[in-house]
Amino acid sequence: MCGGVTLGKGKSGMKEEKLKELLKNMSLKDKAGQLVQLTGNCFTTADAETGPAADLGIPQDMVYRTGSILNVVGADKLKEVQDQYLEKNPPKIPMLFMADVINGFRTIMPIPLGQGCSFDPELVQEAAQVAAKEASSAGVQVTFSPMVDLVRDARWGRVMESTGEDPCLNSAMGLAMVRGYQGEGLDQPGTVASCVKHFAVYGAPEAGRDYNLVDMSEKRLREEYLPAYETAIKEGGAAMVMTSFNSLNGIPATGNSWLMQDLLRKEWGFEGTLITDYAAIFELLNHGVVKDKREASAMAMKCGVDIDMVTDCYANELEKLVQDGVISREALDEAVYRVLKLKNDLGLFENPIRYADKQLEEKLCCCEEHRTVSRKLAQESCVLLKNKGILPLKKAGQKVALMGALADSQEICGAWSLFYKPEEVVTLKQGMEAKAPLCSTSWGCDMLDAWPKWISFANTEFCGREDQSDSIQEAVQKAKEADVVVMTLGELAQQTGEGTSRGNLELADCQKQLFDAVYQVNPHIVVVLFTGRPLDIRYIDGRAEAILVAWQPGTEGGNAIADLLYGDAEPSGKLSMSFPYCTGQEPVYYAHYRTGRPATRGVKQRFCSSYQDIPNEPLYPFGYGLGYTTFEISVPEVDKAEFAAGDSLQVNATVKNTGDRAGCEVVQLYVKDCVSSTERPVKELKGFERVELKPGESRKVSFTLSEKDFAFFRVDGTWGMEAGEFELYVGSDSDTENKIQVCCRN
Ligand code: GLC
């Protein structure tokens, strides 16, 4: 149910034998150079051979042999870089241009964690297609996306880049992004090669601390953490894979031959290019598994790592390793051939700058059509956690006070929006005022009491004032004059992304003070939560009359949120990741095991798997989200209550809009294996469907389950299902108890 179709491959470029001929005629140094990736500033600063490249330790005769660069964009700039490079590159092989186009290029989409909440792979694919069109017109040929790491611990700041905690949803979203980026083939205009990352299991660092170790059984890996990579690679046809920083079971991913050779290359048959994450080959020394760069380079090469991202390891060690026979010439040639093949698939030998075109770039970037996609996806990504009738707002006869540091901010695009122009972003204030006048807008409070010393971003205006009483009092005054307060709370974009783990997920104290002070004079508060991760929002959850999670919604964020607040669009988002009761609950996720002493919800018991001081259940579970209307889902029916392994099973349910407004329900299908030879989760998502219904309208939703939906990784190391009872749940979130029992008799 969470699979997809295989894509065509690029048909462009020279014939294989010609490519092999090119390879044969390359010098050892030329070959080594193809496996080096440098930062773009090595080629955009005047002293290319003595500046950043030299600082990196790259020998001068290697700079113009470099196979690729990252994160320089712009049609004109990349044409200039390519021309200058090809003049000096001995074998005249074009350089590859790669970039982090994670949630949009210039038209920014919601952060991936928000996109996951849309449960709309088709729209996510369209958004990736928009990103590819814009990026390729600006000269980008490869994007380091999708990030399909499964995430279940919000202390880890990179959850914002993932589409959440569930393997089925992650697989569907990762596949959609690969399809959006690569289209019908890399020889087609408006496409970029997709690089799936971070392989593997980077999203499960111990204690939620970035770059920390991952220790996990093969069962868990295969059932939960690997499916999304596998789907993106085997079904999506992703052209590239990026290794992850973490170690897996004691061996760093970048030097882990089980991951890179046994699993990725042999079992999954991946023939594309494997690149490391930033400086990950050098970091093998920090991991303590090698003693020097020579050993690090050998370890990575033996794992089939093709490109060394921004270290001097391959640049300085590869030739010697081959001459000393540590790395065979065949292994080197295989790696170089994969890079040449990617360049060939992209058509670089015909046109070294591919689809880069300044006029096209200016025409496409942030055009109305692309903004429309961004606005729709942002609408579908927002999740309404609570609404005591205060929403939708009225456009007339209601005085609305907007407040908060992000109320009129363009910094709502997330940490990985590297190429956007803030002036192109619609703020919440702008979006709301386009619909109805606000009676006031006020700062309220900073986002943070004190800015983490190590963050050097220019967000100082958002944080750190000792005494915020003046702005809080001003907000209180404005709240007194209003019927309703719309208050922005949460996180700044730079508080999530790489290297932003947190030990405390609560709102900043100043935000709590603002809420308390305003609540005293006007309890009618709608909280708009801008955040890159689930937070501990207990402090406001019981008192806010509505809570809308906006994530970091992107270029059209202000319009999309206003559309929802005023009812011009219906909230339909469903949480792609659980909101914890508190930080101490992390990692918290719906597909948990039962244990030998399962707790009973709401019942305080000592000798069971529970806490003395907090519940087991998250504040809001995976799959949860409200709309402005209500829905009923019938008890599921099946075409057969008994089935044999290998049979397909039809599961039907009727959804009815029982409210007075049109709306969209995301109907979710979960499977529970009641008894099996290993522990299994209490339920697992196996299908979902967005159903748009008018008031009173009903529709039958059908899901087809096949053997692979019941299969799991068994003790003997095989995949398969087992006879026995299963429960099939159909509901509007992972807490549903709306189920039917079926039995597999053999
Ligand atoms: C970073 C990130 C990775 C990104 C790469 C290039 O460290 O881990 O996701 O694609 O470097 O910027």
Side-chain angles (χ1 to χ4, degrees), residues 5-11 124-133 136 141 143 145-146 174-195 232 235-239 345-346 354-355:
V5 294
T6 304
L7 267 184
K9 289 267 187 306
K11 300 174 286 300
V124 166
Q125 178 172 333
E126 194 179 348
Q129 204 169 21
V130 163
K133 284 177 182 171
S136 57
Q141 297 152 358
T143 176
S145 175
L175 177 62
M177 289 179 188
V178 172
R179 285 171 166 174
Y181 293 136
Q182 300 192 162
E184 293 310 308
L186 296 181
D187 58 335
Q188 300 300 309
T191 62
V192 292
S194 167
C195 177
E235 293 179 13
D345 288 348
L346 286 161
R354 203 164 171 259
Y355 303 111

Side-chain angles (χ1 to χ4, degrees), residues 58 66 257 301 540 656 741:
I58 306 294
T66 300
S257 59
M301 269 303 281
I540 56 119
K656 180 174 184 178
Q741 192 123 28

Side-chain angles (χ1 to χ4, degrees), residues 70-71 100 144 158 197-198 242 245 277-278 309 498:
L70 80 157
N71 285 340
D100 288 292
F144 296 129
R158 300 197 72 168
K197 69 188 186 184
H198 304 80
M242 180 189 291
F245 289 124
D277 201 341
Y278 207 100
M309 186 190 286
E498 188 171 348

Side-chain angles (χ1 to χ4, degrees), residues 201 232 496 499 535 592 596 653 663 684:
V201 210
T496 45
L535 294 173
H592 59 80
E684 295 174 286

Side-chain angles (χ1 to χ4, degrees), residues 38-64 66 84 88:
L38 296 179
T39 48
N41 62 352
C42 293
F43 296 89
T44 53
T45 52
D47 52 353
E49 289 163 5
T50 57
D55 298 344
L56 258 176
I58 306 294
Q60 283 210 9
D61 62 3
M62 198 49 99
V63 174
Y64 285 98
T66 300
Q84 175 205 18
K88 299 181 181 178

Side-chain angles (χ1 to χ4, degrees), residues 136-375:
S136 57
S137 74
V140 175
Q141 297 152 358
V142 178
T143 176
F144 296 129
S145 175
M147 184 273 218
V148 296
D149 305 330
L150 197 75
V151 293
R152 292 174 165 175
D153 189 333
R155 291 175 296 180
W156 190 54
R158 300 197 72 168
V159 299
M160 54 80 67
E161 299 170 56
S162 167
T163 49
E165 72 178 65
D166 178 78
C168 174
L169 181 63
N170 255 17
S171 298
M173 292 295 170
L175 177 62
M177 289 179 188
V178 172
R179 285 171 166 174
Y181 293 136
Q182 300 192 162
E184 293 310 308
L186 296 181
D187 58 335
Q188 300 300 309
T191 62
V192 292
S194 167
C195 177
V196 177
K197 69 188 186 184
H198 304 80
F199 194 65
V201 210
Y202 179 36
E206 190 167 279
R209 199 173 76 235
D210 207 351
Y211 315 117
N212 203 6
L213 67 96
V214 173
D215 210 85
M216 191 177 288
S217 69
E218 187 173 356
K219 172 183 172 56
R220 250 205 138 162
L221 283 170
R222 288 183 177 277
E223 288 180 0
E224 300 169 32
Y225 284 82
L226 292 176
Y229 303 108
E230 186 174 9
T231 303
I233 290 162
K234 288 169 67 175
E235 293 179 13
M240 269 178 74
V241 171
M242 180 189 291
T243 70
S244 58
F245 289 124
N246 59 285
S247 64
L248 175 61
N249 300 336
I251 303 190
T254 302
N256 191 312
S257 59
W258 176 78
L259 263 183
M260 304 303 166
Q261 292 288 17
D262 301 347
L263 182 65
L264 180 64
R265 297 276 188 209
K266 293 178 187 131
E267 187 178 323
W268 291 356
F270 178 64
E271 295 176 342
T273 302
L274 181 59
I275 187 171
T276 72
D277 201 341
Y278 207 100
I281 292 183
F282 174 78
E283 291 181 6
L284 295 173
L285 280 79
N286 299 338
H287 281 286
V289 294
V290 294
K291 70 175 191 309
D292 56 27
K293 292 179 186 179
R294 176 182 164 87
E295 282 191 4
S297 304
M299 186 177 199
M301 269 303 281
K302 286 176 178 169
C303 285
V305 170
D306 300 319
I307 299 178
D308 170 5
M309 186 190 286
V310 194
T311 83
D312 67 338
C313 293
Y314 276 13
N316 284 317
E317 303 297 341
L318 266 192
E319 289 170 84
K320 197 87 178 53
L321 283 166
V322 173
Q323 285 155 353
D324 298 348
V326 176
I327 296 293
S328 69
R329 287 185 180 276
E330 294 70 31
L332 178 69
D333 284 356
E334 277 171 23
V336 177
Y337 183 75
R338 287 190 284 258
V339 176
L340 296 180
K341 184 176 181 314
L342 176 56
K343 295 183 177 185
N344 196 37
D345 288 348
L346 286 161
L348 299 192
F349 292 104
E350 284 80 31
N351 179 356
I353 58 164
R354 203 164 171 259
Y355 303 111
D357 178 314
K358 185 75 186 152
Q359 284 66 41
L360 185 60
E361 183 183 351
E362 284 168 355
K363 175 167 165 275
L364 285 178
C365 287
C366 242
C367 66
E368 272 320 300
E369 187 191 333
H370 292 178
R371 280 181 176 270
T372 302
V373 175
S374 172
R375 183 166 181 166

